[in-house]
């Protein structure tokens, strides 16, 4: 499978570590994995050290969320991912205006990483665009439900 792991950036922290570990696991299982980021971040070089491909799609300085979402959807259409895992609130914001542009063949999965009101609110606002919403812990799953 072609899998996109979408992240705001590879800043030092739990989500970046999760993405690196999940990428390695999926690659070892025979999948083609690409980390798709909004900005690179300080840990971006760790991807190359682990032979994990990465793509950065930064929004333009004066670019609207709608135009940016269309550019992201164009990338997804060209890359033909089978599944895309979205690991952040910011990606959820873009999903609201553009995830419906991504090909139907790409399953969109929102991963809830934290116990924060903003995370739940954004996920609820965008719930119709997701094929699946998963949580990293039973507590987060219960709160989201």
């Amino acid at each position: 499978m072609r899998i996109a792991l979408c992240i705001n950036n590879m800043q030092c922290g739990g989500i970046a570590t999760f993405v690196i570990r999940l990428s390695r696991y999926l690659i070892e299982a025979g999948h083609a994995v690409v980390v798709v980021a909004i900005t690179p971040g300080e840990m971006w070089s760790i991807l190359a050290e682990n032979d994990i491909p990465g793509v950065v799609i930064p929004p333009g300085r004066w670019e609207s969320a709608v135009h940016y979402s269309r550019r992201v959807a164009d990338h997804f259409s060209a890359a033909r991912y089978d599944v895309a895992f979205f690991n952040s609130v910011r990606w959820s914001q873009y999903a609201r205006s553009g995830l419906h542009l991504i090909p139907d063949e790409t399953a969109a999965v929102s991963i809830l990483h934290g116990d924060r009101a903003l995370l739940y609110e954004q996920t609820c606002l965008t719930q119709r665009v997701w094929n699946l919403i998963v949580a990293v812990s039973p507590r987060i799953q219960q709160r989201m439900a």
Side-chain angles (χ1 to χ4, degrees):
M1 290 180 76
R2 288 194 44 82
I3 300 170
L5 297 177
C6 304
I7 189 169
N8 285 348
N9 54 51
M10 291 296 293
Q11 292 296 87
C12 188
I15 295 177
T17 301
F18 170 83
V19 166
I20 291 167
R21 287 181 181 162
L22 182 58
S23 295
R24 284 193 287 205
Y25 172 80
L26 292 169
I27 289 168
E28 288 173 11
H31 300 287
V33 175
V34 177
V35 174
V36 181
I38 297 170
T39 59
E42 62 196 26
M43 292 178 62
W44 189 256
S45 62
I46 292 174
L47 295 176
E49 293 169 13
N50 285 277
D51 295 321
I52 302 168
V55 174
V56 177
I57 308 173
R61 183 174 180 176
W62 304 108
E63 188 173 31
S64 71
V66 172
H67 187 264
Y68 178 69
S69 296
R70 184 167 300 281
R71 267 197 316 116
V72 170
D74 289 346
H75 167 77
F76 276 74
S77 293
R80 303 187 54 82
Y81 298 115
D82 296 301
V83 63
F85 293 95
F86 294 85
N87 291 281
S88 74
V89 171
R90 194 163 176 200
W91 274 107
S92 294
Q93 291 169 338
Y94 292 123
R96 227 184 3 216
S97 59
L99 197 57
H100 65 283
L101 300 171
I102 292 175
D104 290 340
E105 296 79 28
T106 302
V109 179
S110 177
I111 301 178
L112 306 179
H113 284 276
D115 187 14
R116 297 185 320 253
L118 177 62
L119 179 66
Y120 299 126
E121 290 168 15
Q122 288 293 325
T123 303
C124 286
L125 287 171
T126 59
Q127 66 184 330
R128 292 186 305 159
V129 299
W130 304 114
N131 294 99
L132 183 66
I133 299 170
V134 297
V136 296
S137 75
R139 178 183 176 171
I140 293 171
Q141 178 185 8
Q142 289 170 348
R143 289 184 151 223
M144 184 60 208

